[in-house]
Structures are given as C-alpha cells and as structure tokens.
Amino acid sequence: MKRKTKSAIVIIAVLVTFGGIFGYFKFTEQKEKPTPEKATVTVENDGVALEDKKITKEELLYPDNLVESKVNEIIHSMSHQKVEASVKWGHEQITQEKIDRLLAVCKMNDYKFNELYIPILERWSKGDFSHAVEDHNAIWEMQGGEDSRNSGRATRLMTPAEEKAYIENNLKFDLYDGTH
C-alpha cells in the first residue's frame, strides 16, 4: 500500500511539474509575440471627424438621409402647434434647432416637394408663422386630407393662449432629453 501511495504522489508531482513547465512556455510565448496594432478609422461628416464634432439631438433624430415622408410628417405635426383644426394627428414641438436642422436636411436632399418644404421652413426659421394655416393645409392635402372625412383642415391660427394650452396638453414632455 505504501508503494502505491508513493507511486501516485510521484506521478502527480511529475504531472504538476510538466503542467507548470508547459504553462510557463505558453505564457511567455504569448508575451513574446508582437501585438498587432488596431487599425484606426476616422468617420467624417462634411469633412469634420465625427469624434471631433458634437452631434446634436436634432442630427440624431433627423439624419442627413432622412426620408421625405418623415420630413413631410414632421412639418405637418409641428404646424399643429400654430393652427386650429378639428382633428390633429401628430404632435411635434416647434424649436429653432428642429426647424434649422430640417431646413438643412431639405437643402442637402432632392425631395420631390422641396419647393413647398423649404419656403415653409425658411419663414418659420425667421419666426414667421403668419402662413401656418396655408402651410398646414398644403401638407395635409399632400397626405390625402379630404374635407369629406373627419376634417383635419386648419381653419385659423391659434391665439397665444390656445397655443400655450396646446403645448401644455400635447407637448409637455420631451422624451428625448427628459425636460418638461
């Protein structure tokens, strides 16, 4: 019995020794190999490296390649803040940043209805919403709006008090930055 125990101890010691030697060589072999350098790629937008440029919320929400139907929908939804209509689908708060970004996106794309979008956004960019009823109805008609159905046709500009109430009831929370 003593002989078997001694043999087992010797075999275990030999295995541990060889395992240690093998592990040492494998570890030092990994250290000696040169580490390949990571390739770096610079992504640019209008010649400015994106890592050097701060991306705004509007650029994330309204990328350079925004589809035209989305531009149409956003302008329509923003116009609801300024006009009275019996039915309103879509609510987007009007901000200068949003208007300026949509205007830039329209100018960099060849949208079918740019001749409508760009003048609207240029007026709005200057704070001129005096034609918001006509702006809304032009977009609404493009989207298939008809007077025979639940009319979403804008009838007039809202008063400042009505606009304030509309904002409170429909645009209270900005889901993208947590403000209200």
Side-chain angles (χ1 to χ4, degrees):
M1 182 96 143
K2 280 187 169 185
R3 197 171 182 190
K4 286 184 180 179
T5 304
K6 284 183 182 180
S7 296
I9 292 174
V10 169
I11 291 172
I12 291 172
V14 169
L15 288 174
V16 167
T17 303
F18 281 119
I21 293 170
F22 179 76
Y24 171 79
F25 283 119
K26 275 302 206 186
F27 178 74
T28 56
E29 180 182 308
Q30 288 295 330
K31 280 186 126 179
E32 291 171 6
K33 286 184 180 176
T35 307
E37 290 189 27
K38 293 181 179 177
T40 57
V41 176
T42 303
V43 179
E44 293 184 358
N45 183 13
D46 292 335
V48 177
L50 287 182
E51 61 194 36
D52 298 336
K53 181 181 177 205
K54 184 179 178 192
I55 305 296
T56 66
K57 175 178 77 169
E58 285 74 20
E59 288 172 315
L60 288 173
L61 294 173
Y62 315 119
D64 293 350
N65 62 348
L66 189 65
V67 296
E68 182 167 2
S69 61
K70 194 71 175 160
V71 171
N72 184 299
E73 177 185 320
I74 295 162
I75 293 171
H76 181 227
S77 294
M78 284 195 304
S79 71
H80 289 159
Q81 180 178 327
K82 296 290 181 180
V83 301
E84 180 58 42
S86 60
V87 178
K88 295 181 181 180
W89 290 294
H91 308 282
E92 286 271 347
Q93 185 154 19
I94 297 172
T95 65
Q96 189 66 47
E97 295 81 12
K98 194 179 296 183
I99 292 168
D100 292 344
R101 178 61 187 158
L102 288 172
L103 184 56
V105 168
C106 286
K107 287 181 176 180
M108 70 177 73
N109 288 285
D110 187 27
Y111 295 134
K112 182 177 179 182
F113 294 103
N114 259 350
E115 71 281 353
L116 177 64
Y117 307 142
I118 291 174
I120 290 172
L121 293 168
E122 285 176 340
R123 277 194 310 276
W124 290 6
S125 180
K126 295 173 189 166
D128 179 4
F129 296 96
S130 61
H131 298 283
V133 171
E134 294 85 1
D135 298 340
H136 171 276
N137 290 339
I139 300 278
W140 175 74
E141 287 169 7
M142 277 178 24
Q143 294 176 341
E146 296 177 21
D147 286 326
S148 61
R149 294 188 283 149
N150 288 335
S151 184
R153 179 175 296 281
T155 56
R156 63 178 177 83
L157 288 172
M158 282 197 269
T159 65
E162 289 172 324
E163 183 177 350
K164 184 178 181 203
Y166 175 84
I167 291 169
E168 277 295 312
N169 292 328
N170 298 288
L171 305 171
K172 192 171 181 178
F173 294 100
D174 185 338
L175 298 176
Y176 298 103
D177 65 13
T179 61
H180 38 81

